[in-house]
Amino acid sequence: MLIDNWPLLGLRLNTPRLELRLPSGEELAELADLAAVGVHEPDRMPFSVPWTDLPPTERARSVVQHHWLRLGNWAPDDWALNLAVFEQGRIVGLQTIAARNYAAVREVSTGSWLGLRHQGRGIGTEMRAAVLHLAFAGLDAAEATSGAFIDNPSSFRVSTKLGYEPDGVERLVVRDRVTVLRRLRISRARWEAHRNTEVSISNLTPCLPLLGLPDRTPDRSGTVGPSPLPLEGEDGVGC
């Protein structure tokens, strides 16, 4: 079976409302169609690469191509896991967790987007909490990074709520204009102090070599269980 050769297909992150996993072909088409409808207001750009400026058809195609590109270029020392986000079986957005030289550095970065009609209900916080749980509880990360442009307060609020701290700024050119990215970082200790979302991870063990880690068993089932914590939060789109 394909999952025997690519065990990441079986990886599941579950929160009270959401499931995060690699999409099937038809689900990838749904994700692309969601991006075509809209991800943010046209007068601002929350991404360092302005892919959402493409016309809807090309925007949808870019989602498909990017997904295939990241899987095709996958290497244990340079990977980006693009997880589709489902709410009650309906696709609502994308959450990425990525790393380079993870076995040595033990640091991940994250990025995400939500369809416009799914924003404002705390989904952005919940899906970020899911990949932070994967990083810290599942992969024994030391730190995680993110970022938000100064005109993207919703993403910044998500990071602040989850315990990130300022990590400097970076000046980038986006849409031919200089804009400021606020970098953010969270340590394992900060994550443990601020986590408030119940998350479970299934089928992680066979994925570990693909993520640059030796094969080990969190428990006999390969499952990292939930932390029984209440949930609250807000959305963000972008980093």
Side-chain angles (χ1 to χ4, degrees):
M1 296 181 66
L2 183 58
I3 195 172
D4 295 329
N5 298 306
W6 199 254
L8 289 166
L9 291 169
L11 181 65
R12 299 288 185 272
L13 310 181
N14 290 97
T15 70
R17 289 186 295 174
L18 307 176
E19 180 175 69
L20 283 70
R21 57 178 172 80
L22 288 177
S24 67
E26 289 303 314
E27 290 164 345
L28 180 58
E30 292 178 28
L31 183 68
D33 289 343
L34 183 65
V37 172
V39 176
H40 58 83
E41 299 83 356
D43 62 344
R44 67 184 187 89
M45 174 50 65
F47 306 110
S48 57
V49 177
W51 62 276
T52 48
D53 279 348
L54 293 169
T57 300
E58 295 178 36
R59 190 187 315 153
R61 188 178 299 121
S62 75
V63 171
V64 175
Q65 289 182 290
H66 183 259
H67 184 79
W68 288 342
L69 178 67
R70 294 309 309 186
L71 291 178
N73 288 339
W74 191 282
D77 61 354
D78 185 2
W79 51 264
L81 183 60
N82 290 326
L83 298 171
V85 182
F86 298 83
E87 182 189 27
Q88 298 180 342
R90 177 178 59 177
I91 203 158
V92 297
L94 184 76
Q95 176 69 62
T96 298
I97 178 171
R100 292 185 178 181
N101 301 312
Y102 183 76
V105 178
R106 297 289 171 150
E107 179 179 293
V108 301
S109 61
T110 64
S112 66
W113 61 263
L114 278 171
L116 267 174
R117 63 180 178 268
H118 302 296
Q119 295 172 22
R121 298 190 292 114
I123 294 175
T125 302
E126 197 166 333
M127 63 200 222
R128 179 97 67 86
V131 291
L132 287 179
H133 191 90
L134 172 62
F136 289 113
L139 303 179
D140 194 28
E143 295 189 316
T145 65
S146 187
F149 288 116
I150 57 173
D151 62 350
N152 191 3
S154 58
S155 181
F156 189 77
R157 285 196 299 269
V158 167
S159 298
T160 301
K161 188 177 291 291
L162 291 170
Y164 287 78
E165 296 180 293
D167 190 35
V169 298
E170 186 173 352
R171 290 165 59 84
L172 301 173
V173 176
V174 180
R175 285 179 170 173
D176 299 321
R177 293 187 305 152
V178 175
T179 186
V180 176
L181 177 76
R182 294 185 288 187
R183 296 195 305 261
L184 297 151
R185 181 176 296 271
I186 184 170
S187 66
R188 168 178 288 277
R190 293 279 297 180
W191 170 74
E192 290 175 343
H194 287 81
R195 59 177 178 161
N196 64 354
T197 303
E198 181 181 336
V199 183
S200 63
I201 308 172
S202 303
N203 306 316
L204 175 60
T205 300
C207 302
L208 294 176
L210 283 171
L211 300 171
L213 295 176
D215 193 349
R216 56 179 170 79
T217 306
D219 62 30
R220 294 185 64 184
S221 67
T223 297
V224 179
S227 52
L229 298 166
L231 171 70
E232 59 181 54
E234 295 181 13
D235 285 327
V237 292
C239 296

